[in-house]
Amino acid sequence: MLCLFSLVAYLATAQEEKNVRITILSTMLADMKGKGEWGFSALVEVDSVKLLFDTGKHPELVLENAKALDINLAGIERLVLSHNHLDHTGGVERLLKEFPSSFAQVYIATGFFTPKLLNGQTPMKSFDSSSYVRSGGTFTVISSFHELLPGIYLTGPVPRIHDEENYPKTTMVKTAGGTKVDIVEEDMSLVINTSKGLVLLSGCGHAGIVNTLEQVRKNFPGKKVIAAIGGFHLLETDETKLTWTANEIKKAGVEYFVGAHCTGLNSVYKIRQIVGFSPAKCLIGSVGMVFDLQKGIKTGWLE
Ligand SMILES: [Zn+2]
Ligand SMILES: [Zn+2]
């Protein structure tokens, strides 16, 4: 009986995070404080737990933007890299130097180390994992949906049920069957389970936002995804596919949509229009923008 009570109490705390805050530290658009870049990084705070999801492109920028925004990066417990593109991994080593205890372990998904080739020939410049290891870093590879901390999950590689193809078509990978387009198999997102619904944080969304929403909802039957935040690589998506995507976002029950990084400005506004989001609940993500589960989206001056 006691065990049962303990289990119920554990499940209740795992589901009822009261305070979830996601602050964007790297993306293209910047406001009064901080600088923009082609990259992505976000600080995730769930009650007293802090995580960093991606590290931006320029080695110093996450540190600089955090300083400009008066955000303390000390005490981060987990570092997650959504995938192996330099605009998400650029700050890892610099952050490790600054906060050795926070960034000596990084969570990545299966496929992260598959060598990438530009146009099928030139090796693509990517995260220098051997240098990170020499500096004391270690990797934890996630192969399937995984609970990182109570109530906080990583999707691992996402099954590509729909042909969303939200990845650059010029990057290739070498496989046993020959050279093929890199579908960025390692692309994974972070999910927070709250009593209000699920909060989804994506780096580039190369797995496809609809594929990711479906995988997440399969793991939490009957729960809606209340917020979808981050990069969703919809910047090249044609009208027909974008309309379908927006309708799937609506079906998943999304109430807040923040399209940062590679989502595409016009795509965000098109999604706003199709889903029928109010402007306060569907915005372009900018440096310093905060999603707060209790208070909604806090934008900069520009928006
Ligand atoms: Zn990216
Ligand atoms: Zn990417």
Side-chain angles (χ1 to χ4, degrees):
M1 204 57 172
L2 194 64
C3 283
L4 186 65
F5 280 136
S6 306
L7 179 67
V8 170
Y10 167 78
L11 289 174
T13 38
Q15 278 192 38
E16 289 177 11
E17 289 80 16
K18 287 161 274 307
N19 297 305
V20 173
R21 266 172 76 87
I22 295 175
T23 309
I24 297 177
L25 294 176
S26 158
T27 187
M28 281 77 148
L29 187 68
D31 213 274
M32 293 294 278
K33 292 176 180 175
K35 291 177 193 162
E37 66 168 353
W38 185 286
F40 189 72
S41 174
L43 175 70
V44 180
E45 294 167 275
V46 181
D47 288 335
S48 58
V49 174
K50 286 202 253 183
L51 300 93
L52 191 70
F53 184 80
D54 287 342
T55 63
K57 182 180 182 182
H58 294 91
E60 301 281 341
L61 200 76
V62 165
L63 288 165
E64 281 177 20
N65 281 349
K67 200 174 169 199
L69 295 160
D70 206 16
I71 288 170
N72 182 6
L73 293 179
I76 286 177
E77 290 184 31
R78 295 284 188 278
L79 169 64
V80 176
L81 293 178
S82 64
H83 64 298
N84 193 2
H85 280 164
L86 265 185
D87 51 335
H88 300 254
T89 63
V92 176
E93 286 213 58
R94 182 65 189 86
L95 285 159
L96 175 65
K97 213 169 158 191
E98 194 74 20
F99 302 103
S101 59
S102 291
F103 299 109
Q105 187 188 18
V106 56
Y107 288 80
I108 54 172
T110 308
F112 188 92
F113 294 114
T114 308
K116 298 177 192 294
L117 301 166
L118 275 180
N119 300 312
Q121 290 171 348
T122 326
M124 194 170 97
K125 202 163 174 263
S126 62
F127 179 50
D128 189 347
S129 56
S130 49
S131 168
Y132 176 62
V133 170
R134 279 198 302 277
S135 307
T138 57
F139 294 95
T140 301
V141 183
I142 306 298
S143 58
S144 58
F145 205 84
H146 171 82
E147 189 171 28
L148 182 66
L149 288 165
I152 306 171
Y153 300 80
L154 294 175
T155 62
V158 174
R160 309 296 172 92
I161 295 162
H162 306 285
D163 271 345
E164 293 184 77
E165 298 185 348
N166 295 343
Y167 41 78
K169 311 294 183 299
T170 49
T171 312
M172 319 290 276
V173 280
K174 260 194 183 148
T175 67
T179 305
K180 57 169 195 163
V181 170
D182 179 21
I183 64 163
V184 199
E185 179 200 356
E186 76 273 20
D187 181 69
M188 72 172 166
S189 295
L190 185 130
V191 180
I192 306 158
N193 185 18
T194 81
S195 54
K196 290 189 172 182
L198 305 161
V199 175
L200 172 71
L201 178 62
S202 164
C204 258
H206 295 308
I209 182 170
V210 180
N211 287 328
T212 305
L213 286 170
E214 284 189 11
Q215 190 227 25
V216 168
R217 294 180 79 205
K218 218 175 107 197
N219 280 278
F220 297 95
K223 276 208 115 160
K224 62 180 181 179
V225 178
I226 188 175
I229 295 158
F232 293 104
H233 206 93
L234 296 168
L235 74 179
E236 295 172 311
T237 310
D238 67 36
E239 189 89 8
T240 312
K241 210 176 236 182
L242 200 56
T243 305
W244 169 78
T245 304
N247 283 318
E248 293 298 319
I249 290 171
K250 195 174 185 174
K251 269 195 232 162
V254 176
E255 291 177 24
Y256 295 93
F257 185 83
V258 174
H261 184 38
C262 54
T263 310
L265 310 186
N266 286 311
S267 300
V268 174
Y269 292 130
K270 184 83 186 165
I271 287 168
R272 179 195 280 180
Q273 184 201 338
I274 297 170
V275 176
F277 284 124
S278 72
K281 292 189 170 187
C282 176
L283 292 154
I284 311 288
S286 56
V287 171
M289 174 184 271
V290 177
F291 167 76
D292 184 303
L293 185 63
Q294 307 299 338
K295 299 175 191 161
I297 302 167
K298 185 172 158 272
T299 68
W301 199 17
L302 190 61
E303 282 203 285

